[in-house]
Amino acid sequence: MNNGYEVVAIIALGMGLVFWVTDRASPTSRTLAFFLGLLGVSVFGNAQVVDHWLETPLPAWVRLIGLLDAAVFIAGCQWGLRVSQTVSDVPDEDRQDRLIRIAQALSLLYALMVAAAPELRYHELALALREQRLPSPAFALFVMPALAAGALVLFAGVLLLRRRPDQAEQVRIFAALAAMPVLTVALVLPARIAPLALAVGEVIFLYGALRYYMILGARGMFMSQFLSPQVAALVRERGLRHAMARKRVDVAVVCCDIRRFTAYAQAHSPEQVMRLLRAYYAAVAAAAQDFGGTVKDMAGDGALILIGAPVPYPDRSARAIGLARRLQARVRPVLKRYSPDLGLGVGVAGGSVAVGIVGEGGRYEYMAVGPAVNLAARLCDKALDGEIHIDETTLQASGESLPARRRRRYVRGIGVLVTTYVLESGD
């Protein structure tokens, strides 16, 4: 037995187990865990070959080692394809995926060649290493498919990075691309050195994994406060960029705003105002989560919440009205505890909007642009303390029959008469 190989195999198996246990909800992490598990099994299998590779004939099971090596390579490629699915569609996508499929086919060719001529693969390498000479030209039949497959994957990885994948996955892609040459070279190194090279490759992978989970941890703290559990699940499964991809969707928009906040801020210390806002934001975020809302903006004394993006909801209108009533029932009392003069106004509107990530230089924001956003903000401005102003489209789509006052009026920024309904906080 070669203890160096066995240690490396245990490390790979352990890393795979860690990925599976800590992040099995993510398809990319599940695939990566499977890859690392197969890598551990493959390293252990190759260690057994080292103990027998000068025997004539080789044991029959040696013919299967090439298939095991190919399975590791294919699993790693599948992880790359999974990551590719988390990136918004761009012209390079089909080209990149084709390169990976060709690389997988080359790895299968390598496996078939090992099964057909294991002595040429292992005896020749062992003798060349022992006699300190280059392997015979025939050995290139095994080297070329492996090198070509590796080169194709590296090129596909570069194309994937150009598509700006999710930040967390980007770290793992860099680590994978850096580790691949090290792991490949280990296949043709002497037995006393190869385990060290394999360990170095695993450490590079481990660095990428640690950075990946650090990013996910920071992101999770944000999502737990401002995004619904459904959005958080979507981000884990498809990546942040895919979840927030630019597109046009139908949403319901809920805006809320503290009434008489300016007077309160002028009459109290900045620390007191900060405590008020902290309690206000926490109450708004908790209410939004209950109805699957995504808090897009919390600025000053206002908040804007989307229902229907990035997770679509057929019952978004009913959810939006339920959220508006919850805000008046739960958030308004929070404000009253700080001052009886404070109040809350809420506006609700629905329609088609464009959503997606905008920004550059490492600073990005999830934006929603469309008439529904503007209308919800304007209706919120009109709402007095305890009132909910709803556009007619949203109220009708909700299917609810609510006691409300009907109004037709002009709203600033909208050049036509708008039919709205006013709900009182007691409704």
Side-chain angles (χ1 to χ4, degrees):
M1 293 289 183
N2 189 305
N3 291 331
Y5 277 103
E6 292 173 350
V7 171
V8 172
I10 291 173
I11 293 174
L13 289 169
M15 289 171 61
L17 181 62
V18 167
F19 271 102
W20 177 263
V21 171
T22 58
D23 196 28
R24 60 179 175 271
S26 167
T28 56
S29 289
R30 286 200 304 269
T31 306
L32 189 55
F34 185 61
F35 159 71
L36 290 168
L38 281 176
L39 177 63
V41 175
S42 175
V43 170
F44 185 81
N46 278 278
Q48 314 314 306
V49 176
V50 170
D51 292 335
H52 297 279
W53 65 358
L54 287 176
E55 294 181 8
T56 304
L58 286 169
W61 56 264
V62 171
R63 297 177 182 272
L64 301 177
I65 297 300
L67 185 60
L68 188 58
D69 293 341
V72 174
F73 187 85
I74 291 172
C77 289
Q78 284 299 121
W79 169 67
L81 291 173
R82 288 278 192 178
V83 174
S84 176
Q85 294 172 3
T86 69
V87 186
S88 303
D89 293 338
V90 294
D92 277 344
E93 181 177 7
D94 291 340
R95 180 186 182 190
Q96 166 202 297
D97 291 353
R98 283 197 300 271
L99 291 175
I100 293 179
R101 295 301 186 192
I102 293 171
Q104 290 177 319
L106 288 172
S107 70
L108 287 175
L109 175 62
Y110 166 82
L112 292 175
M113 294 172 64
V114 171
E119 287 81 7
L120 181 59
R121 163 67 175 87
Y122 295 109
H123 279 171
E124 177 58 30
L125 177 61
L127 290 172
L129 291 174
R130 188 175 67 177
E131 298 171 5
Q132 297 184 345
R133 61 174 175 82
L134 293 175
S136 67
F139 184 73
L141 294 174
F142 297 92
V143 175
M144 294 309 295
L147 291 179
L152 288 174
V153 170
L154 286 173
F155 185 54
V158 172
L159 291 179
L160 180 58
L161 288 173
R162 288 178 58 188
R163 292 169 55 197
R164 300 173 67 187
D166 181 72
Q167 182 187 10
E169 292 294 357
Q170 191 175 96
V171 171
R172 290 204 291 195
I173 294 170
F174 273 119
L177 294 180
M180 182 179 295
V182 180
L183 296 175
T184 302
V185 169
L187 295 175
V188 295
L189 289 175
R192 66 179 184 278
I193 300 176
L196 179 60
L198 290 170
V200 170
E202 291 178 346
V203 168
I204 296 174
F205 253 111
L206 183 59
Y207 168 78
L210 291 175
R211 289 286 302 150
Y212 171 84
Y213 285 114
M214 287 174 64
I215 294 171
L216 285 191
R219 180 182 297 168
M221 292 179 64
F222 168 81
M223 290 193 298
S224 65
Q225 298 179 41
F226 300 106
L227 299 183
S228 69
Q230 295 88 345
V231 176
L234 180 63
V235 171
R236 285 196 303 269
E237 293 176 4
R238 303 302 301 275
L240 183 62
R241 187 166 296 277
H242 188 282
M244 306 297 187
R246 297 178 188 177
K247 53 190 174 183
R248 180 173 285 274
V249 295
D250 291 325
V251 301
V253 184
V254 180
C255 289
C256 62
D257 194 81
I258 301 176
R259 297 292 169 256
R260 293 179 289 279
F261 174 76
T262 301
Y264 178 89
Q266 291 176 344
H268 294 78
S269 69
E271 291 77 14
Q272 289 174 305
V273 175
M274 186 66 70
R275 284 195 292 270
L276 164 67
L277 290 176
R278 186 179 296 116
Y280 168 65
Y281 290 157
V284 169
Q289 286 188 6
D290 290 342
F291 290 87
T294 300
V295 180
K296 195 198 78 65
D297 284 325
M298 278 189 174
D301 60 331
L304 187 152
I305 304 163
L306 301 178
I307 298 182
V311 178
Y313 292 110
D315 61 341
R316 57 187 172 275
S317 297
R319 286 173 177 259
I321 294 175
L323 172 58
R325 300 175 80 180
R326 178 70 61 83
L327 290 171
Q328 289 291 11
R330 300 285 180 85
V331 178
R332 188 168 174 249
V334 171
L335 300 175
K336 296 296 185 183
R337 289 202 297 267
Y338 285 84
S339 172
D341 295 330
L342 294 175
L344 187 73
V346 180
V348 181
S352 177
V353 300
V355 297
I357 290 179
V358 298
E360 58 182 314
R363 182 175 178 83
Y364 301 96
E365 183 179 355
Y366 188 56
M367 294 291 293
V369 178
V373 177
N374 298 332
L375 180 56
R378 298 293 177 254
L379 294 181
C380 180
D381 292 340
K382 295 286 186 180
L384 301 177
D385 176 27
E387 289 184 343
I388 301 170
H389 288 221
I390 309 171
D391 74 320
E392 185 175 37
T393 301
T394 302
L395 184 59
Q396 291 178 348
S398 71
E400 296 191 37
S401 178
L402 301 173
R405 302 195 311 273
R406 184 176 183 270
R407 289 184 180 177
R408 281 180 61 79
R409 57 187 171 181
Y410 287 101
V411 178
R412 182 165 56 91
I414 300 175
V416 297
L417 280 172
V418 177
T419 301
T420 62
Y421 293 82
V422 180
L423 302 179
E424 301 289 349
S425 60
D427 293 336

mmCIF file of all heavy atoms in Angstrom, residues 332-377:
data_model
loop_
_atom_site.group_PDB
_atom_site.id
_atom_site.type_symbol
_atom_site.label_atom_id
_atom_site.label_comp_id
_atom_site.label_asym_id
_atom_site.label_seq_id
_atom_site.Cartn_x
_atom_site.Cartn_y
_atom_site.Cartn_z
ATOM 1 N N ARG A 332 -47.176 49.624 12.054
ATOM 2 C CA ARG A 332 -47.706 50.876 12.606
ATOM 3 C C ARG A 332 -47.626 50.911 14.132
ATOM 4 O O ARG A 332 -47.198 51.929 14.710
ATOM 5 C CB ARG A 332 -49.146 51.054 12.133
ATOM 6 C CG ARG A 332 -49.775 52.393 12.472
ATOM 7 C CD ARG A 332 -51.077 52.547 11.697
ATOM 8 N NE ARG A 332 -51.808 53.739 12.056
ATOM 9 C CZ ARG A 332 -52.956 53.755 12.710
ATOM 10 N NH1 ARG A 332 -53.527 52.612 13.089
ATOM 11 N NH2 ARG A 332 -53.556 54.896 12.987
ATOM 12 N N PRO A 333 -48.001 49.827 14.854
ATOM 13 C CA PRO A 333 -47.845 49.851 16.319
ATOM 14 C C PRO A 333 -46.396 50.023 16.769
ATOM 15 O O PRO A 333 -46.144 50.618 17.822
ATOM 16 C CB PRO A 333 -48.406 48.501 16.754
ATOM 17 C CG PRO A 333 -49.363 48.124 15.673
ATOM 18 C CD PRO A 333 -48.738 48.626 14.414
ATOM 19 N N VAL A 334 -45.449 49.496 15.988
ATOM 20 C CA VAL A 334 -44.031 49.683 16.328
ATOM 21 C C VAL A 334 -43.687 51.166 16.315
ATOM 22 O O VAL A 334 -42.994 51.674 17.211
ATOM 23 C CB VAL A 334 -43.134 48.903 15.340
ATOM 24 C CG1 VAL A 334 -41.666 49.266 15.551
ATOM 25 C CG2 VAL A 334 -43.340 47.405 15.507
ATOM 26 N N LEU A 335 -44.173 51.866 15.292
ATOM 27 C CA LEU A 335 -43.898 53.298 15.205
ATOM 28 C C LEU A 335 -44.563 54.057 16.355
ATOM 29 O O LEU A 335 -43.972 54.998 16.910
ATOM 30 C CB LEU A 335 -44.413 53.833 13.865
ATOM 31 C CG LEU A 335 -43.804 53.202 12.607
ATOM 32 C CD1 LEU A 335 -44.493 53.748 11.364
ATOM 33 C CD2 LEU A 335 -42.310 53.445 12.551
ATOM 34 N N LYS A 336 -45.788 53.663 16.703
ATOM 35 C CA LYS A 336 -46.513 54.348 17.778
ATOM 36 C C LYS A 336 -45.798 54.219 19.121
ATOM 37 O O LYS A 336 -45.951 55.081 19.998
ATOM 38 C CB LYS A 336 -47.926 53.779 17.896
ATOM 39 C CG LYS A 336 -48.810 53.993 16.669
ATOM 40 C CD LYS A 336 -49.081 55.476 16.425
ATOM 41 C CE LYS A 336 -50.068 55.663 15.276
ATOM 42 N NZ LYS A 336 -50.292 57.097 14.970
ATOM 43 N N ARG A 337 -45.015 53.134 19.287
ATOM 44 C CA ARG A 337 -44.285 52.985 20.555
ATOM 45 C C ARG A 337 -43.213 54.049 20.705
ATOM 46 O O ARG A 337 -42.840 54.417 21.820
ATOM 47 C CB ARG A 337 -43.644 51.592 20.630
ATOM 48 C CG ARG A 337 -44.649 50.464 20.829
ATOM 49 C CD ARG A 337 -43.973 49.240 21.410
ATOM 50 N NE ARG A 337 -42.959 48.693 20.523
ATOM 51 C CZ ARG A 337 -43.193 47.731 19.631
ATOM 52 N NH1 ARG A 337 -44.413 47.224 19.502
ATOM 53 N NH2 ARG A 337 -42.224 47.279 18.878
ATOM 54 N N TYR A 338 -42.719 54.558 19.584
ATOM 55 C CA TYR A 338 -41.692 55.590 19.645
ATOM 56 C C TYR A 338 -42.308 56.984 19.754
ATOM 57 O O TYR A 338 -41.738 57.864 20.370
ATOM 58 C CB TYR A 338 -40.783 55.498 18.408
ATOM 59 C CG TYR A 338 -39.825 54.347 18.486
ATOM 60 C CD1 TYR A 338 -40.208 53.068 18.097
ATOM 61 C CD2 TYR A 338 -38.536 54.521 18.976
ATOM 62 C CE1 TYR A 338 -39.333 51.997 18.175
ATOM 63 C CE2 TYR A 338 -37.644 53.466 19.065
ATOM 64 C CZ TYR A 338 -38.055 52.202 18.665
ATOM 65 O OH TYR A 338 -37.197 51.141 18.764
ATOM 66 N N SER A 339 -43.468 57.157 19.126
ATOM 67 C CA SER A 339 -44.170 58.437 19.235
ATOM 68 C C SER A 339 -45.593 58.256 18.725
ATOM 69 O O SER A 339 -45.795 57.716 17.632
ATOM 70 C CB SER A 339 -43.461 59.524 18.415
ATOM 71 O OG SER A 339 -44.247 60.697 18.384
ATOM 72 N N PRO A 340 -46.590 58.732 19.485
ATOM 73 C CA PRO A 340 -47.983 58.623 19.007
ATOM 74 C C PRO A 340 -48.252 59.479 17.778
ATOM 75 O O PRO A 340 -49.269 59.283 17.091
ATOM 76 C CB PRO A 340 -48.791 59.106 20.205
ATOM 77 C CG PRO A 340 -47.851 59.958 21.000
ATOM 78 C CD PRO A 340 -46.500 59.346 20.814
ATOM 79 N N ASP A 341 -47.350 60.402 17.477
ATOM 80 C CA ASP A 341 -47.534 61.246 16.300
ATOM 81 C C ASP A 341 -47.137 60.545 15.002
ATOM 82 O O ASP A 341 -47.527 60.977 13.915
ATOM 83 C CB ASP A 341 -46.708 62.529 16.431
ATOM 84 C CG ASP A 341 -47.192 63.394 17.580
ATOM 85 O OD1 ASP A 341 -48.401 63.344 17.878
ATOM 86 O OD2 ASP A 341 -46.365 64.099 18.183
ATOM 87 N N LEU A 342 -46.325 59.491 15.126
ATOM 88 C CA LEU A 342 -45.869 58.782 13.928
ATOM 89 C C LEU A 342 -46.994 57.915 13.368
ATOM 90 O O LEU A 342 -47.863 57.437 14.103
ATOM 91 C CB LEU A 342 -44.650 57.909 14.244
ATOM 92 C CG LEU A 342 -43.372 58.645 14.639
ATOM 93 C CD1 LEU A 342 -42.289 57.654 15.042
ATOM 94 C CD2 LEU A 342 -42.883 59.529 13.501
ATOM 95 N N GLY A 343 -46.958 57.697 12.058
ATOM 96 C CA GLY A 343 -47.944 56.838 11.420
ATOM 97 C C GLY A 343 -47.358 56.173 10.196
ATOM 98 O O GLY A 343 -46.174 56.339 9.871
ATOM 99 N N LEU A 344 -48.187 55.419 9.479
ATOM 100 C CA LEU A 344 -47.720 54.669 8.314
ATOM 101 C C LEU A 344 -48.745 54.771 7.191
ATOM 102 O O LEU A 344 -49.945 54.565 7.400
ATOM 103 C CB LEU A 344 -47.507 53.197 8.676
ATOM 104 C CG LEU A 344 -46.864 52.336 7.591
ATOM 105 C CD1 LEU A 344 -45.386 52.683 7.453
ATOM 106 C CD2 LEU A 344 -47.028 50.844 7.902
ATOM 107 N N GLY A 345 -48.277 55.095 6.007
ATOM 108 C CA GLY A 345 -49.092 55.072 4.800
ATOM 109 C C GLY A 345 -48.575 54.002 3.866
ATOM 110 O O GLY A 345 -47.364 53.771 3.779
ATOM 111 N N VAL A 346 -49.496 53.332 3.140
ATOM 112 C CA VAL A 346 -49.111 52.222 2.262
ATOM 113 C C VAL A 346 -49.786 52.385 0.912
ATOM 114 O O VAL A 346 -50.978 52.726 0.830
ATOM 115 C CB VAL A 346 -49.503 50.858 2.874
ATOM 116 C CG1 VAL A 346 -49.087 49.721 1.947
ATOM 117 C CG2 VAL A 346 -48.888 50.679 4.255
ATOM 118 N N GLY A 347 -49.031 52.141 -0.163
ATOM 119 C CA GLY A 347 -49.562 52.141 -1.518
ATOM 120 C C GLY A 347 -49.288 50.820 -2.198
ATOM 121 O O GLY A 347 -48.212 50.232 -2.022
ATOM 122 N N VAL A 348 -50.258 50.327 -2.967
ATOM 123 C CA VAL A 348 -50.136 49.035 -3.655
ATOM 124 C C VAL A 348 -50.549 49.203 -5.103
ATOM 125 O O VAL A 348 -51.591 49.806 -5.400
ATOM 126 C CB VAL A 348 -51.018 47.956 -3.001
ATOM 127 C CG1 VAL A 348 -50.845 46.618 -3.714
ATOM 128 C CG2 VAL A 348 -50.692 47.823 -1.514
ATOM 129 N N ALA A 349 -49.738 48.679 -6.035
ATOM 130 C CA ALA A 349 -50.064 48.707 -7.454
ATOM 131 C C ALA A 349 -49.455 47.484 -8.121
ATOM 132 O O ALA A 349 -48.479 46.907 -7.620
ATOM 133 C CB ALA A 349 -49.554 49.992 -8.112
ATOM 134 N N GLY A 350 -50.020 47.102 -9.250
ATOM 135 C CA GLY A 350 -49.509 45.938 -9.963
ATOM 136 C C GLY A 350 -49.350 46.205 -11.437
ATOM 137 O O GLY A 350 -49.942 47.145 -11.987
ATOM 138 N N GLY A 351 -48.549 45.376 -12.089
ATOM 139 C CA GLY A 351 -48.349 45.518 -13.520
ATOM 140 C C GLY A 351 -47.049 44.903 -13.969
ATOM 141 O O GLY A 351 -46.336 44.256 -13.191
ATOM 142 N N SER A 352 -46.714 45.120 -15.230
ATOM 143 C CA SER A 352 -45.489 44.576 -15.814
ATOM 144 C C SER A 352 -44.334 45.540 -15.588
ATOM 145 O O SER A 352 -44.455 46.744 -15.836
ATOM 146 C CB SER A 352 -45.694 44.350 -17.312
ATOM 147 O OG SER A 352 -44.505 43.887 -17.918
ATOM 148 N N VAL A 353 -43.205 44.999 -15.114
ATOM 149 C CA VAL A 353 -42.016 45.813 -14.871
ATOM 150 C C VAL A 353 -40.793 45.073 -15.395
ATOM 151 O O VAL A 353 -40.818 43.851 -15.598
ATOM 152 C CB VAL A 353 -41.821 46.127 -13.363
ATOM 153 C CG1 VAL A 353 -43.012 46.880 -12.807
ATOM 154 C CG2 VAL A 353 -41.572 44.848 -12.576
ATOM 155 N N ALA A 354 -39.726 45.811 -15.613
ATOM 156 C CA ALA A 354 -38.432 45.226 -15.957
ATOM 157 C C ALA A 354 -37.608 45.117 -14.686
ATOM 158 O O ALA A 354 -37.478 46.095 -13.944
ATOM 159 C CB ALA A 354 -37.707 46.080 -16.992
ATOM 160 N N VAL A 355 -37.082 43.933 -14.412
ATOM 161 C CA VAL A 355 -36.286 43.724 -13.210
ATOM 162 C C VAL A 355 -34.923 43.159 -13.597
ATOM 163 O O VAL A 355 -34.770 42.531 -14.643
ATOM 164 C CB VAL A 355 -36.988 42.767 -12.217
ATOM 165 C CG1 VAL A 355 -38.292 43.349 -11.724
ATOM 166 C CG2 VAL A 355 -37.220 41.398 -12.851
ATOM 167 N N GLY A 356 -33.941 43.368 -12.744
ATOM 168 C CA GLY A 356 -32.615 42.817 -12.981
ATOM 169 C C GLY A 356 -31.556 43.562 -12.218
ATOM 170 O O GLY A 356 -31.829 44.572 -11.560
ATOM 171 N N ILE A 357 -30.347 43.045 -12.305
ATOM 172 C CA ILE A 357 -29.200 43.646 -11.630
ATOM 173 C C ILE A 357 -28.596 44.717 -12.516
ATOM 174 O O ILE A 357 -28.381 44.502 -13.702
ATOM 175 C CB ILE A 357 -28.150 42.581 -11.286
ATOM 176 C CG1 ILE A 357 -28.667 41.662 -10.174
ATOM 177 C CG2 ILE A 357 -26.837 43.222 -10.854
ATOM 178 C CD1 ILE A 357 -27.711 40.576 -9.789
ATOM 179 N N VAL A 358 -28.326 45.879 -11.951
ATOM 180 C CA VAL A 358 -27.613 46.943 -12.654
ATOM 181 C C VAL A 358 -26.448 47.385 -11.782
ATOM 182 O O VAL A 358 -26.459 47.203 -10.567
ATOM 183 C CB VAL A 358 -28.531 48.147 -12.973
ATOM 184 C CG1 VAL A 358 -29.656 47.742 -13.897
ATOM 185 C CG2 VAL A 358 -29.082 48.761 -11.698
ATOM 186 N N GLY A 359 -25.448 47.958 -12.431
ATOM 187 C CA GLY A 359 -24.285 48.439 -11.685
ATOM 188 C C GLY A 359 -22.999 47.907 -12.277
ATOM 189 O O GLY A 359 -22.989 47.100 -13.204
ATOM 190 N N GLU A 360 -21.883 48.360 -11.747
ATOM 191 C CA GLU A 360 -20.583 47.912 -12.195
ATOM 192 C C GLU A 360 -19.563 48.199 -11.104
ATOM 193 O O GLU A 360 -19.873 48.823 -10.094
ATOM 194 C CB GLU A 360 -20.181 48.625 -13.486
ATOM 195 C CG GLU A 360 -20.145 50.145 -13.381
ATOM 196 C CD GLU A 360 -19.791 50.815 -14.699
ATOM 197 O OE1 GLU A 360 -18.829 50.353 -15.335
ATOM 198 O OE2 GLU A 360 -20.460 51.782 -15.075
ATOM 199 N N GLY A 361 -18.362 47.686 -11.338
ATOM 200 C CA GLY A 361 -17.291 47.941 -10.387
ATOM 201 C C GLY A 361 -17.486 47.253 -9.053
ATOM 202 O O GLY A 361 -16.977 47.702 -8.036
ATOM 203 N N GLY A 362 -18.207 46.140 -9.044
ATOM 204 C CA GLY A 362 -18.386 45.391 -7.805
ATOM 205 C C GLY A 362 -19.561 45.851 -6.969
ATOM 206 O O GLY A 362 -19.857 45.253 -5.941
ATOM 207 N N ARG A 363 -20.260 46.922 -7.387
ATOM 208 C CA ARG A 363 -21.422 47.400 -6.650
ATOM 209 C C ARG A 363 -22.647 47.234 -7.527
ATOM 210 O O ARG A 363 -22.748 47.855 -8.587
ATOM 211 C CB ARG A 363 -21.255 48.866 -6.245
ATOM 212 C CG ARG A 363 -22.434 49.403 -5.423
ATOM 213 C CD ARG A 363 -22.185 50.812 -4.946
ATOM 214 N NE ARG A 363 -23.321 51.332 -4.212
ATOM 215 C CZ ARG A 363 -23.553 51.108 -2.937
ATOM 216 N NH1 ARG A 363 -22.713 50.358 -2.255
ATOM 217 N NH2 ARG A 363 -24.608 51.603 -2.326
ATOM 218 N N TYR A 364 -23.580 46.403 -7.095
ATOM 219 C CA TYR A 364 -24.750 46.090 -7.893
ATOM 220 C C TYR A 364 -26.023 46.312 -7.078
ATOM 221 O O TYR A 364 -26.013 46.256 -5.856
ATOM 222 C CB TYR A 364 -24.700 44.636 -8.381
ATOM 223 C CG TYR A 364 -23.492 44.336 -9.219
ATOM 224 C CD1 TYR A 364 -22.353 43.769 -8.647
ATOM 225 C CD2 TYR A 364 -23.483 44.628 -10.578
ATOM 226 C CE1 TYR A 364 -21.234 43.504 -9.409
ATOM 227 C CE2 TYR A 364 -22.370 44.362 -11.353
ATOM 228 C CZ TYR A 364 -21.247 43.800 -10.771
ATOM 229 O OH TYR A 364 -20.140 43.539 -11.528
ATOM 230 N N GLU A 365 -27.117 46.555 -7.810
ATOM 231 C CA GLU A 365 -28.402 46.753 -7.161
ATOM 232 C C GLU A 365 -29.479 46.062 -7.983
ATOM 233 O O GLU A 365 -29.446 46.074 -9.214
ATOM 234 C CB GLU A 365 -28.712 48.241 -7.038
ATOM 235 C CG GLU A 365 -30.024 48.532 -6.305
ATOM 236 C CD GLU A 365 -30.297 50.014 -6.165
ATOM 237 O OE1 GLU A 365 -29.415 50.803 -6.556
ATOM 238 O OE2 GLU A 365 -31.377 50.376 -5.677
ATOM 239 N N TYR A 366 -30.429 45.457 -7.276
ATOM 240 C CA TYR A 366 -31.554 44.827 -7.954
ATOM 241 C C TYR A 366 -32.606 45.894 -8.206
ATOM 242 O O TYR A 366 -33.137 46.488 -7.273
ATOM 243 C CB TYR A 366 -32.118 43.700 -7.082
ATOM 244 C CG TYR A 366 -33.162 42.858 -7.778
ATOM 245 C CD1 TYR A 366 -32.878 42.220 -8.980
ATOM 246 C CD2 TYR A 366 -34.420 42.677 -7.221
ATOM 247 C CE1 TYR A 366 -33.812 41.432 -9.619
ATOM 248 C CE2 TYR A 366 -35.368 41.887 -7.849
ATOM 249 C CZ TYR A 366 -35.057 41.259 -9.042
ATOM 250 O OH TYR A 366 -35.999 40.480 -9.668
ATOM 251 N N MET A 367 -32.910 46.145 -9.482
ATOM 252 C CA MET A 367 -33.786 47.237 -9.861
ATOM 253 C C MET A 367 -35.112 46.707 -10.398
ATOM 254 O O MET A 367 -35.178 45.627 -10.975
ATOM 255 C CB MET A 367 -33.126 48.102 -10.934
ATOM 256 C CG MET A 367 -31.887 48.844 -10.454
ATOM 257 S SD MET A 367 -32.294 50.148 -9.270
ATOM 258 C CE MET A 367 -33.191 51.284 -10.323
ATOM 259 N N ALA A 368 -36.152 47.496 -10.225
ATOM 260 C CA ALA A 368 -37.454 47.241 -10.838
ATOM 261 C C ALA A 368 -37.931 48.553 -11.431
ATOM 262 O O ALA A 368 -38.020 49.566 -10.729
ATOM 263 C CB ALA A 368 -38.450 46.720 -9.812
ATOM 264 N N VAL A 369 -38.221 48.539 -12.729
ATOM 265 C CA VAL A 369 -38.585 49.775 -13.430
ATOM 266 C C VAL A 369 -39.877 49.537 -14.187
ATOM 267 O O VAL A 369 -40.009 48.556 -14.932
ATOM 268 C CB VAL A 369 -37.481 50.212 -14.413
ATOM 269 C CG1 VAL A 369 -37.896 51.474 -15.156
ATOM 270 C CG2 VAL A 369 -36.170 50.429 -13.670
ATOM 271 N N GLY A 370 -40.832 50.426 -14.001
ATOM 272 C CA GLY A 370 -42.088 50.311 -14.718
ATOM 273 C C GLY A 370 -43.164 51.167 -14.079
ATOM 274 O O GLY A 370 -43.013 51.661 -12.951
ATOM 275 N N PRO A 371 -44.277 51.366 -14.768
ATOM 276 C CA PRO A 371 -45.358 52.211 -14.239
ATOM 277 C C PRO A 371 -45.884 51.737 -12.892
ATOM 278 O O PRO A 371 -46.291 52.564 -12.067
ATOM 279 C CB PRO A 371 -46.433 52.108 -15.332
ATOM 280 C CG PRO A 371 -45.693 51.756 -16.578
ATOM 281 C CD PRO A 371 -44.550 50.897 -16.132
ATOM 282 N N ALA A 372 -45.894 50.418 -12.654
ATOM 283 C CA ALA A 372 -46.432 49.914 -11.387
ATOM 284 C C ALA A 372 -45.618 50.409 -10.200
ATOM 285 O O ALA A 372 -46.174 50.713 -9.130
ATOM 286 C CB ALA A 372 -46.463 48.383 -11.399
ATOM 287 N N VAL A 373 -44.315 50.502 -10.371
ATOM 288 C CA VAL A 373 -43.460 50.991 -9.283
ATOM 289 C C VAL A 373 -43.777 52.456 -8.999
ATOM 290 O O VAL A 373 -43.927 52.867 -7.837
ATOM 291 C CB VAL A 373 -41.973 50.818 -9.641
ATOM 292 C CG1 VAL A 373 -41.079 51.385 -8.544
ATOM 293 C CG2 VAL A 373 -41.648 49.348 -9.880
ATOM 294 N N ASN A 374 -43.881 53.245 -10.062
ATOM 295 C CA ASN A 374 -44.180 54.670 -9.881
ATOM 296 C C ASN A 374 -45.560 54.873 -9.254
ATOM 297 O O ASN A 374 -45.743 55.718 -8.362
ATOM 298 C CB ASN A 374 -44.117 55.381 -11.231
ATOM 299 C CG ASN A 374 -42.737 55.305 -11.855
ATOM 300 O OD1 ASN A 374 -41.734 55.207 -11.159
ATOM 301 N ND2 ASN A 374 -42.678 55.333 -13.174
ATOM 302 N N LEU A 375 -46.544 54.088 -9.714
ATOM 303 C CA LEU A 375 -47.890 54.252 -9.197
ATOM 304 C C LEU A 375 -47.966 53.884 -7.718
ATOM 305 O O LEU A 375 -48.611 54.584 -6.927
ATOM 306 C CB LEU A 375 -48.872 53.406 -10.012
ATOM 307 C CG LEU A 375 -50.341 53.467 -9.594
ATOM 308 C CD1 LEU A 375 -50.838 54.905 -9.595
ATOM 309 C CD2 LEU A 375 -51.192 52.586 -10.495
ATOM 310 N N ALA A 376 -47.316 52.789 -7.334
ATOM 311 C CA ALA A 376 -47.326 52.389 -5.921
ATOM 312 C C ALA A 376 -46.712 53.478 -5.049
ATOM 313 O O ALA A 376 -47.215 53.781 -3.955
ATOM 314 C CB ALA A 376 -46.583 51.070 -5.740
ATOM 315 N N ALA A 377 -45.619 54.080 -5.522
ATOM 316 C CA ALA A 377 -44.980 55.158 -4.760
ATOM 317 C C ALA A 377 -45.895 56.376 -4.649
ATOM 318 O O ALA A 377 -45.997 56.993 -3.574
ATOM 319 C CB ALA A 377 -43.657 55.538 -5.418
#
